[in-house]
Amino acid sequence: MTGRTPIRARCDASDRLVSADEPLAGLQERCGGALPGIVAVPALLALVRKARVSNLPLARRITAIDDGKPISVWVAAAPKQDGVDLELSDWRLAGDRAEDAGAPEDLLRQLAEGHFLLDADQRLLAGHVRAPDLAQLGKQIQHGLGLSGPRKLWTEYVRLEQGAERPGRAQPLHWRLLDDALFTVIGSPRRWRARFLPRPGNTGFELLAIPESIERLPHEPVGIEQAMPAWNSLLGRDLAPALRQPVSRIIANAETIRTRLAGPLAEEYANYAADIAEAGRHLLGLVEDLADLEAVEAPDFSPAPDQIDLADCARRAAGILSVRAQERGIAVKVPGDDVHAPAIGEFRRVLQVLLNLLTNAIRYTPGNSTVVLACGTEGGTAWISVADEGEGLSFEQAERVFDKFERLGRSGDGGSGLGLYISRRLARAMGGDLNVASTPGEGACFVLSLPADIQGGMALRG
C-alpha cells in the first residue's frame, strides 16, 4: 500500500499528538496510544522531539511495526511556536512494492552521506549529513534554516562544476538536468554527485549527496587508512540497512503464503511458509542486534538524555507486546496510571531495553503465568524491574548472562545472545545500570536503574 496523498498531523509542545489523519491516527491507537496523547510510535516521537528541541525542520524515513508488520513512511517535521507540524508521505508496508526488491533508490540512500529535503522549487527544507568532511556544510545548513525569510536554494550551499551552473538565474536548472551533477563543498576534499528522488505528488525531492567514487565504506572517516573494517562496523553500520528491506519482504511474502491470502494451499506448504517467516524474523532480529552492537561500541556513542517516566515506559512496552503475551496465556502486570518514576534517559533507548527484557520474560516464562513490571525511586536513582516466573538463573548463569553472545546453552530459541549485552551497555551509557536477581526455580528479576529526575518528580507530585 503506497500513500500518495500527504498525511497531516500536529503535536503540541509536550510531544502529544493532538490531531492526525488516517492512517496515523489508527497506528497511534494500535501502538497503545491515545488521540490526543503522547506519540506512541518510538521513531516518530524521537523525530518530533529532535525537531522541537533543535527548533529546525527535519525530515527522514522512519520504520514502525503495525499489527506485527513492518511499515515505512517519509516524515517531515516542522517546529512551530506551540508544537510541531507533521507531513507524512509514501506510507507503505515494507516489501509491498514489487520494485522494492533491490530498488535503486534504496541502494542510493545507503551510499549517500548527505540527505536533504527540497520543495518543488529546489529550496532546502531540511538536511542531515553523516560524513565528517560534510560537517561544515551541515553547520551552514542549520544556520540557513534558522534564519527568517525565504528558504535558500540547495545550489547556494554548494559549488556546481562547470556545465551545471546557471549564472545570472534565480532558479537552478530543471532537476533532471541536475541529477548526477558533480559539485564540491567547503571543507571536503572529495567531489560529490547530486541524485534526485522525486517525492509523491510532485511535492518536492529527496536530494542525496553521494561520493563521486566509493573508495571506502559509507561513513568511514576521510584520511584514515584501514585495511579491513571491524566486522561489527561492516555488518552493523553498512550491511544492516541494506538487509532490512529484503528480509522484511521475505517475511511479508511468507506470511501471505502461510495465511493463504494468495489462495488455497496444502497444510504442509503453509507450515513451510511459517518456518520461512520465523527464520526471517530471526535473521532480521540478528541484523538489528548487530546494528545496535556497532552503535553502542562506537567510541563516540552518547545517548540523548531527556526527562522520562519509567512507569509510562513500562505501560508502553507492555502494550506493544500484549498480543505476544496473550498468545502464550501470560498476564503482564504494569504500574497503575497514578504511579510515576521520573528519570533522565533517552526515551527510545529505555523503551528498547524494556522491550528486550519483557520479550525475554515472555519467551522463557511458562504459559499461564505472570510477568510483573514495577518501578520507583530511591534517592537519586529511579528504577524499573521486570520479574518473571520462569526457571530462574543459577549464580554462575547470572554472572554470564550479560556477556556478548551468551545464550546460556539455549539453542533454537531465536535469540542472538546480544540483547542483554546491548541493554546493559545502553543503561550504563545513560548513567545507570542493568542487573539481575535470580533464584533457581523461582524466576528472574531484571532491574534497570537510571538517574532520577528530581525536578520532574517535584512537578509530578505538585
Side-chain angles (χ1 to χ4, degrees), residues 175-242:
W175 72 270
R176 291 190 183 278
L177 299 177
L178 288 173
D179 191 29
D180 210 36
L182 286 170
F183 66 89
T184 57
V185 300
I186 296 175
S188 174
R190 294 186 283 177
R191 299 164 76 206
W192 299 84
R193 290 192 179 276
R195 296 305 306 268
F196 282 76
L197 302 178
R199 298 176 64 210
N202 298 319
T203 56
F205 310 91
E206 291 179 59
L207 175 64
L208 308 179
I210 298 176
E212 179 191 16
S213 59
I214 309 296
E215 297 176 347
R216 52 187 161 269
L217 293 171
H219 329 312
E220 182 182 329
V222 177
I224 296 180
E225 299 295 332
Q226 274 187 306
M228 179 63 69
W231 69 269
N232 61 326
S233 176
L234 174 64
L235 289 171
R237 179 178 293 175
D238 301 299
L239 293 185

Side-chain angles (χ1 to χ4, degrees), residues 167-418:
R169 298 294 184 92
Q171 292 290 337
L173 294 171
H174 189 279
W175 72 270
R176 291 190 183 278
L177 299 177
L178 288 173
D179 191 29
D180 210 36
L182 286 170
F183 66 89
T184 57
V185 300
I186 296 175
S188 174
R190 294 186 283 177
R191 299 164 76 206
W192 299 84
R193 290 192 179 276
R195 296 305 306 268
F196 282 76
L197 302 178
R199 298 176 64 210
N202 298 319
T203 56
F205 310 91
E206 291 179 59
L207 175 64
L208 308 179
I210 298 176
E212 179 191 16
S213 59
I214 309 296
E215 297 176 347
R216 52 187 161 269
L217 293 171
H219 329 312
E220 182 182 329
V222 177
I224 296 180
E225 299 295 332
Q226 274 187 306
M228 179 63 69
W231 69 269
N232 61 326
S233 176
L234 174 64
L235 289 171
R237 179 178 293 175
D238 301 299
L239 293 185
L243 285 172
R244 286 189 185 103
Q245 196 162 46
V247 174
S248 296
R249 187 162 185 259
I250 290 171
I251 296 170
N253 288 343
E255 284 294 338
T256 298
I257 297 171
R258 182 187 68 82
T259 55
R260 297 178 172 85
L261 293 177
L265 188 70
E267 185 66 25
E268 58 267 28
Y269 289 105
N271 292 336
Y272 295 155
D275 291 341
I276 294 172
E278 185 60 31
R281 291 191 187 94
H282 173 65
L283 177 58
L284 188 60
L286 180 59
V287 168
E288 298 296 346
D289 283 347
L290 289 171
D292 286 334
L293 178 64
E294 189 274 333
V296 300
E297 291 189 334
D300 58 349
F301 174 70
S302 178
D306 202 355
Q307 294 176 309
I308 61 174
D309 182 0
L310 292 181
D312 175 65
C313 293
R315 292 188 286 267
R316 289 178 183 274
I320 293 171
L321 295 176
S322 61
V323 174
R324 187 178 303 182
Q326 290 171 7
E327 288 176 347
R328 297 206 61 226
I330 294 174
V332 180
K333 291 186 177 181
V334 299
D337 292 340
D338 59 337
V339 176
H340 301 284
I344 299 296
E346 183 176 346
F347 172 80
R348 179 173 66 93
R349 294 300 190 179
V350 172
L351 188 59
Q352 177 182 347
V353 172
L354 289 180
L355 287 173
N356 180 66
L357 296 178
L358 188 52
T359 297
N360 285 346
I362 294 172
R363 177 182 293 160
Y364 299 123
T365 201
N368 301 313
S369 60
T370 302
V371 174
V372 178
L373 280 72
C375 61
T377 57
E378 296 179 6
T381 300
W383 58 270
I384 182 168
S385 63
V386 180
D388 63 50
E389 298 179 351
E391 297 179 0
L393 303 172
S394 66
F395 176 79
E396 180 186 0
Q397 289 175 324
E399 288 288 310
R400 294 189 289 118
V401 72
F402 294 105
D403 292 346
K404 189 189 300 186
F405 298 114
E406 179 57 65
R407 297 175 63 191
L408 301 181
R410 299 186 179 100
S411 62
D413 60 1
S416 65
L418 288 171

Side-chain angles (χ1 to χ4, degrees), residues 17-78:
L17 191 65
V18 295
S19 64
D21 297 339
E22 289 291 353
L24 179 58
L27 177 61
Q28 169 80 356
E29 294 181 357
R30 289 190 293 276
C31 287
L35 191 65
I38 292 292
V39 178
V41 182
L44 182 58
L45 178 60
L47 180 61
V48 167
R49 283 181 169 170
K50 189 169 185 178
R52 174 177 57 79
V53 172
S54 66
N55 197 32
L56 292 173
L58 301 173
R60 65 190 58 171
R61 180 169 291 280
I62 68 169
T63 56
I65 301 298
D66 187 7
D67 283 340
K69 296 180 180 179
I71 61 169
S72 173
V73 60
W74 176 264
V75 183

